[in-house]
Amino acid sequence: MTHLRRRRDDGFTLVELLVVCVILGILAAIAIPAYIRHKEKAYRAQAIADMKNAAIAVETYGTEDQFNSFAGVDGADKDDPVLKAEGFRPSQWVTLTVRATATSYCIEGENKFVPGKTFVYRSDNGRIEIAATGLVTCA
């Protein structure tokens, strides 16, 4: 009479667990850098949106000014009551400063989650330039 050995299927073998760990490691190595890139793009987009919204507020101020001048917003920052009166609502991570003359203005900003980058909007060309901090300024 032969005795058949019963096989125990109570759990996973060590090799199976190691294979799962390796697969998870590979997936994480692919996904984490992609997630970081997407996060940085979102922070850049937020800074660009704030710059454009501030430009709209400055344009509105200049249009409503009796002399059609932007000079009244020179030195304004994101918490300036003049910009807020024109409808500007900044995000909490973006800082910006307005430099203005009677006929033109420039907005310089940074997002604290995009270190080393400065965003500059110039009214004369209507574009936002993004460069390493110190390379592009309103001065």
Side-chain angles (χ1 to χ4, degrees):
M1 176 171 214
T2 10
H3 292 289
L4 296 173
R5 274 200 259 171
R6 296 181 79 201
R7 184 175 168 194
R8 291 183 59 189
D9 289 331
D10 291 340
F12 299 106
T13 66
L14 183 60
V15 172
E16 291 170 332
L17 291 175
L18 287 174
V19 168
V20 168
C21 287
V22 167
I23 291 171
L24 289 175
I26 291 170
L27 290 175
I30 293 169
I32 291 172
Y35 172 73
I36 290 170
R37 281 192 306 276
H38 285 291
K39 230 168 83 168
E40 183 174 320
K41 284 172 89 175
Y43 289 130
R44 281 180 182 224
Q46 183 63 54
I48 290 170
D50 274 9
M51 300 295 284
K52 289 179 180 179
N53 291 336
I56 290 170
V58 172
E59 288 287 341
T60 304
Y61 173 83
T63 303
E64 293 174 351
D65 183 66
Q66 66 178 345
F67 302 110
N68 289 331
S69 172
F70 300 117
V73 292
D74 185 42
D77 64 3
K78 75 175 192 170
D79 297 319
D80 193 277
V82 174
L83 292 180
K84 288 190 176 188
E86 299 301 340
F88 178 61
R89 301 291 177 260
S91 63
Q92 66 187 68
W93 305 293
V94 177
T95 59
L96 58 86
T97 305
V98 179
R99 300 285 176 238
T101 63
T103 57
S104 67
Y105 63 90
C106 178
I107 304 170
E108 186 174 333
E110 293 182 2
N111 185 319
K112 75 176 188 177
F113 292 113
V114 185
K117 297 289 183 186
T118 299
F119 301 81
V120 175
Y121 177 88
R122 298 179 195 285
S123 64
D124 56 354
N125 65 14
R127 291 183 322 167
I128 295 176
E129 300 173 57
I130 303 170
T133 301
L135 292 180
V136 166
T137 63
C138 286

